[in-house]
């Protein structure tokens, strides 16, 4: 039965709902409304809608439900709620569960918009947030206390690819009854077992690997049925951050090829890390799947493979990094990740430009650092492109 299916089988079949036509591929239900055969049925549905009964697309839609069921099946969670973007998921889950006076502990190395929500928005509503160095279990222990309601981290930080020990942080959160929320984008649903490791809530920006072809914004919140239906759904359906049916269809079809894509990307990333770690124009290579990564043992245990992103510090600081990026022909300069196209990003002048130099130094974002999100191109072509561009440095 479904429970015995391996992830690749689940990613293709779980959640399918077919109309009377028996269509093989999933249908897009581009409708915001649903009708009722009589007034009594409308009344009954507003009292309690069953899983195949819909009211309004902000509350739920058949195509969106297929995506939610499929990703929940893949992640091994009881339930899921799909959102308009990754940030609608992050802000939604925090706003849905917190109230004035609550305390939150978060790792400091965060995606810029996550940092904004935790550092600027939550305090405005009387939520007290403490930031810690995610690698220091001592700092987590000291910060998490009896007032702590939520603990937040990204399982792998951007762009320096530090990996949080989810089981250890979870143990500290559970001891005080706090919920551990893991933004798992960089680990992907394929390499991660965040829920099994102890996370209470897992979030993805499906804009990244789940779409995987750079087309649409989306996100998803995964947790128990109780938490999704009692805490997340009421907030999301009334505040408007729900996923559109068209987006859900893109994400649903993305899930079918997710495993193949991210495994191919991770294999290319590893091959590239082998070439770059001894290259004389590369001052420092950061790849979680390479034995030189300081947390290599934890990564092998927590993720199996090293993921689809690597970061390299190029000789010559910003000027060296720019010469390298401008010398590339196949890899594109952009700021998405998990795409079919290989993308290079210079964090200190783009995604992390708003931080002070001191904050960047603290996070290890040097002027020479370039993040490379590996795409689906031929591995040999990509390595040639990158080696050729390094000659410009
Ligand atoms: C991209 C990203 C987000 C935000 O997702 P959007 O879909 O762009 O809203 C949140 N967290 C991490 C780690 C990300 O990489």
């Amino acid at each position: 039965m479904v429970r015995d299916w391996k992830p690749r089988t689940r990613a293709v079949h779980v959640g399918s709902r077919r109309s009377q036509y028996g269509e093989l591929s999933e249908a897009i239900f581009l409708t915001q409304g649903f009708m009722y055969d009589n007034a009594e049925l409308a009344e009954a549905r507003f009292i309690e809608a069953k899983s195949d009964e819909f009211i309004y697309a902000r509350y739920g839609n058949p195509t969106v439900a297929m995506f939610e069921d499929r990703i929940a099946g893949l992640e091994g969670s009881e339930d899921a709620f799909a959102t308009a973007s990754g940030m609608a998921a992050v802000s939604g889950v925090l706003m849905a569960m917190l109230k004035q006076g609550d305390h939150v502990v978060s790792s400091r190395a965060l995606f810029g918009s996550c940092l904004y929500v935790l550092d600027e928005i939550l305090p405005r509503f009387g939520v007290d947030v403490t930031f810690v160095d995610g690698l220091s279990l001592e700092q987590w222990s000291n910060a998490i206390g009896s007032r702590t309601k939520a603990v937040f981290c990204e399982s792998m930080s951007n762009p320096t690819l530090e990996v949080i020990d989810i089981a250890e942080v979870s143990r500290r959160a559970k001891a005080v009854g706090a919920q551990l929320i893991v933004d798992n984008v960089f680990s992907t649903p394929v390499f991660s077992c965040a829920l099994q490791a102890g996370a209470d809530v897992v979030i993805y920006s499906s804009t990244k690997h789940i779409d995987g072809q750079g087309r649409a914004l989306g996100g998803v919140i995964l947790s128990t049925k109780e938490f999704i239906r009692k805490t997340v759904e009421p907030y999301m359906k009334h505040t408007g951050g729900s996923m559109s049916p068209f987006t859900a269809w893109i994400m649903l079809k993305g899930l079918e090829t997710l495993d193949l894509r991210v495994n191919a990307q991770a294999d290319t990333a590893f091959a590239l890390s082998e070439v770059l770690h001894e290259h004389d124009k590369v001052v420092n290579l950061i790849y979680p799947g390479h034995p030189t990564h300081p947390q290599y043992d934890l990564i092998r245990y927590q993720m199996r493979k090293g993921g689809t992103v690597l970061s390299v510090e190029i000789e010559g600081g910003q000027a060296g990094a720019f010469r390298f990026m401008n010398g590339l022909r196949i890899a594109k300069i952009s700021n998405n990740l998990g795409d079919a196209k290989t993308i290079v990003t210079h964090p200190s002048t783009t995604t992390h430009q708003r931080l002070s130099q001191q904050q960047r130094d603290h996070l290890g974002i040097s002027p020479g650092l370039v993040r490379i999100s590996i795409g689906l191109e031929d591995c040999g072509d990509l390595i040639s492109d990158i080696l050729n561009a390094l000659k410009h440095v």
Side-chain angles (χ1 to χ4, degrees), residues 165-171 174 180 193-199 301-302:
D165 190 330
I166 294 172
E168 286 294 332
V169 176
S170 155
R171 191 168 316 149
K174 285 206 166 53
L180 173 60
C193 48
L195 286 173
Q196 289 85 329
Y301 167 73
Q302 194 163 288

Side-chain angles (χ1 to χ4, degrees), residues 278-331:
E278 289 193 317
H279 196 285
D280 58 2
K281 302 281 176 62
V282 173
V283 182
N284 186 22
L285 163 93
I286 310 172
Y287 181 58
H290 196 269
T292 53
H293 193 286
Q295 295 164 283
Y296 186 62
D297 290 339
L298 170 65
I299 290 151
R300 298 257 294 196
Y301 167 73
Q302 194 163 288
M303 289 183 53
R304 286 190 302 115
K305 284 190 187 176
T308 68
V309 178
L310 41 82
S311 291
V312 282
E313 189 181 341
I314 308 288
E315 192 179 80
Q318 181 175 323
F322 276 24
R323 273 197 287 273
F324 165 64
M325 292 168 74
N326 293 338
L328 293 162
R329 288 292 163 266
I330 295 174

Side-chain angles (χ1 to χ4, degrees), residues 371-389:
R371 186 185 80 186
I372 309 176
S373 165
I374 301 297
L376 291 172
E377 300 92 342
D378 177 84
C379 178
D381 286 350
L382 199 57
I383 289 175
S384 305
D385 189 40
I386 285 167
L387 290 180
N388 191 50

Side-chain angles (χ1 to χ4, degrees), residues 251-263:
M251 301 306 173
L252 188 58
K253 301 309 279 181
L255 285 179
E256 293 185 339
T257 55
L258 178 69
D259 188 294
L260 293 173
R261 286 186 284 105
V262 300
N263 269 295

